[in-house]
Amino acid sequence: MLNLIFAALLFASCGQASSSNLTAAGLPGKDGVRKINLVAPKGKAIAAFAEGCFWCSEEIFEDVAGVDSVISGYSGGNVPNPTYEKVSTGTTGYAESVLVYYNPAKVSYAELLKVFYASHDATTLNKQGPDEGTQYRSVVFYANSTEKSMAETAKTNALKSGMFQRAIVTQISPLTAFYRAEEYHQNYAKHNGDNPYIQNVSEQRFQQFKKTYKGKLKQ
């Protein structure tokens, strides 16, 4: 597995692989980037996480039973109107993130926190696999004090569980805004299975998650 991951570095990172699609994404202002209303539909709930490349994260969370949909985007920054090109500089404060829409009657926020820690290496600072920079940092974005407390408990439990051999560097930050990424990023893994990054990094991370996660996944 490690050999395949290292081989992937020769071909692309999450950022490099997507750059070839920038022309197809449309002109500035027509690329689908927009601020998302953070009020969940009636009977549903939302949660936001950052754990490296959002192509990988989106595919993982979408496979969890009780999750309705996942949006790839940007959160955690303070620069107006983030775009992929801006976020990729690592200077905007934004992280590649996912906004998860879920049914709390079928999957709990606590369970999504377990998914979060089971699906990435929470011990690598500003880095996930071949991707490096603050835009790839590990973050749980909380919407209220209850979620903040649950996130802190989940971080402590993850450390005590022994799943990580080093200190967890995950940030626990307020969810103040979320911007939907350009449309070509949405469901990227599903529509670009022949991409070397997807084959050698995203899919291996996804398969490893399915082997280790003990919760319920979609059939």
PDB file of all heavy atoms in Angstrom, residues 186-194:
ATOM      1  N   GLN A 186     -17.371  18.574  -6.986  1.00  0.00           N
ATOM      2  CA  GLN A 186     -18.471  17.816  -6.382  1.00  0.00           C
ATOM      3  C   GLN A 186     -18.526  16.401  -6.968  1.00  0.00           C
ATOM      4  O   GLN A 186     -18.493  16.222  -8.180  1.00  0.00           O
ATOM      5  CB  GLN A 186     -19.801  18.548  -6.592  1.00  0.00           C
ATOM      6  CG  GLN A 186     -19.794  20.018  -6.191  1.00  0.00           C
ATOM      7  CD  GLN A 186     -19.399  20.247  -4.734  1.00  0.00           C
ATOM      8  OE1 GLN A 186     -19.699  19.449  -3.846  1.00  0.00           O
ATOM      9  NE2 GLN A 186     -18.720  21.372  -4.481  1.00  0.00           N
ATOM     10  N   ASN A 187     -18.574  15.404  -6.070  1.00  0.00           N
ATOM     11  CA  ASN A 187     -18.595  13.990  -6.491  1.00  0.00           C
ATOM     12  C   ASN A 187     -17.424  13.657  -7.412  1.00  0.00           C
ATOM     13  O   ASN A 187     -17.546  12.870  -8.344  1.00  0.00           O
ATOM     14  CB  ASN A 187     -19.919  13.661  -7.189  1.00  0.00           C
ATOM     15  CG  ASN A 187     -21.102  13.763  -6.261  1.00  0.00           C
ATOM     16  OD1 ASN A 187     -21.132  13.149  -5.189  1.00  0.00           O
ATOM     17  ND2 ASN A 187     -22.088  14.570  -6.638  1.00  0.00           N
ATOM     18  N   TYR A 188     -16.268  14.266  -7.125  1.00  0.00           N
ATOM     19  CA  TYR A 188     -15.124  14.114  -8.017  1.00  0.00           C
ATOM     20  C   TYR A 188     -14.665  12.661  -8.124  1.00  0.00           C
ATOM     21  O   TYR A 188     -14.402  12.160  -9.228  1.00  0.00           O
ATOM     22  CB  TYR A 188     -13.964  14.984  -7.543  1.00  0.00           C
ATOM     23  CG  TYR A 188     -12.846  15.063  -8.560  1.00  0.00           C
ATOM     24  CD1 TYR A 188     -12.821  16.059  -9.522  1.00  0.00           C
ATOM     25  CD2 TYR A 188     -11.821  14.114  -8.577  1.00  0.00           C
ATOM     26  CE1 TYR A 188     -11.815  16.128 -10.472  1.00  0.00           C
ATOM     27  CE2 TYR A 188     -10.809  14.168  -9.515  1.00  0.00           C
ATOM     28  CZ  TYR A 188     -10.818  15.170 -10.465  1.00  0.00           C
ATOM     29  OH  TYR A 188      -9.817  15.220 -11.404  1.00  0.00           O
ATOM     30  N   ALA A 189     -14.567  11.976  -7.005  1.00  0.00           N
ATOM     31  CA  ALA A 189     -14.099  10.585  -7.032  1.00  0.00           C
ATOM     32  C   ALA A 189     -15.037   9.701  -7.847  1.00  0.00           C
ATOM     33  O   ALA A 189     -14.596   8.824  -8.593  1.00  0.00           O
ATOM     34  CB  ALA A 189     -13.958  10.052  -5.607  1.00  0.00           C
ATOM     35  N   LYS A 190     -16.332   9.935  -7.713  1.00  0.00           N
ATOM     36  CA  LYS A 190     -17.328   9.137  -8.425  1.00  0.00           C
ATOM     37  C   LYS A 190     -17.204   9.297  -9.930  1.00  0.00           C
ATOM     38  O   LYS A 190     -17.370   8.334 -10.691  1.00  0.00           O
ATOM     39  CB  LYS A 190     -18.726   9.553  -7.965  1.00  0.00           C
ATOM     40  CG  LYS A 190     -19.859   8.829  -8.681  1.00  0.00           C
ATOM     41  CD  LYS A 190     -21.210   9.305  -8.163  1.00  0.00           C
ATOM     42  CE  LYS A 190     -22.354   8.613  -8.900  1.00  0.00           C
ATOM     43  NZ  LYS A 190     -23.669   9.093  -8.390  1.00  0.00           N
ATOM     44  N   HIS A 191     -16.906  10.505 -10.381  1.00  0.00           N
ATOM     45  CA  HIS A 191     -16.887  10.793 -11.813  1.00  0.00           C
ATOM     46  C   HIS A 191     -15.500  10.742 -12.446  1.00  0.00           C
ATOM     47  O   HIS A 191     -15.374  10.898 -13.661  1.00  0.00           O
ATOM     48  CB  HIS A 191     -17.495  12.182 -12.058  1.00  0.00           C
ATOM     49  CG  HIS A 191     -18.927  12.289 -11.647  1.00  0.00           C
ATOM     50  ND1 HIS A 191     -19.914  11.470 -12.139  1.00  0.00           N
ATOM     51  CD2 HIS A 191     -19.541  13.133 -10.760  1.00  0.00           C
ATOM     52  CE1 HIS A 191     -21.076  11.798 -11.592  1.00  0.00           C
ATOM     53  NE2 HIS A 191     -20.880  12.787 -10.753  1.00  0.00           N
ATOM     54  N   ASN A 192     -14.472  10.519 -11.629  1.00  0.00           N
ATOM     55  CA  ASN A 192     -13.103  10.545 -12.155  1.00  0.00           C
ATOM     56  C   ASN A 192     -12.285   9.366 -11.636  1.00  0.00           C
ATOM     57  O   ASN A 192     -11.161   9.518 -11.161  1.00  0.00           O
ATOM     58  CB  ASN A 192     -12.416  11.862 -11.786  1.00  0.00           C
ATOM     59  CG  ASN A 192     -13.072  13.063 -12.437  1.00  0.00           C
ATOM     60  OD1 ASN A 192     -12.767  13.424 -13.569  1.00  0.00           O
ATOM     61  ND2 ASN A 192     -14.008  13.685 -11.717  1.00  0.00           N
ATOM     62  N   GLY A 193     -12.861   8.193 -11.764  1.00  0.00           N
ATOM     63  CA  GLY A 193     -12.212   6.990 -11.252  1.00  0.00           C
ATOM     64  C   GLY A 193     -10.899   6.644 -11.916  1.00  0.00           C
ATOM     65  O   GLY A 193     -10.101   5.877 -11.360  1.00  0.00           O
ATOM     66  N   ASP A 194     -10.637   7.200 -13.103  1.00  0.00           N
ATOM     67  CA  ASP A 194      -9.393   6.897 -13.798  1.00  0.00           C
ATOM     68  C   ASP A 194      -8.272   7.874 -13.450  1.00  0.00           C
ATOM     69  O   ASP A 194      -7.147   7.739 -13.933  1.00  0.00           O
ATOM     70  CB  ASP A 194      -9.612   6.901 -15.310  1.00  0.00           C
ATOM     71  CG  ASP A 194     -10.152   8.230 -15.836  1.00  0.00           C
ATOM     72  OD1 ASP A 194     -10.590   9.057 -15.002  1.00  0.00           O
ATOM     73  OD2 ASP A 194     -10.146   8.439 -17.059  1.00  0.00           O
TER      74      ASP A 194
END
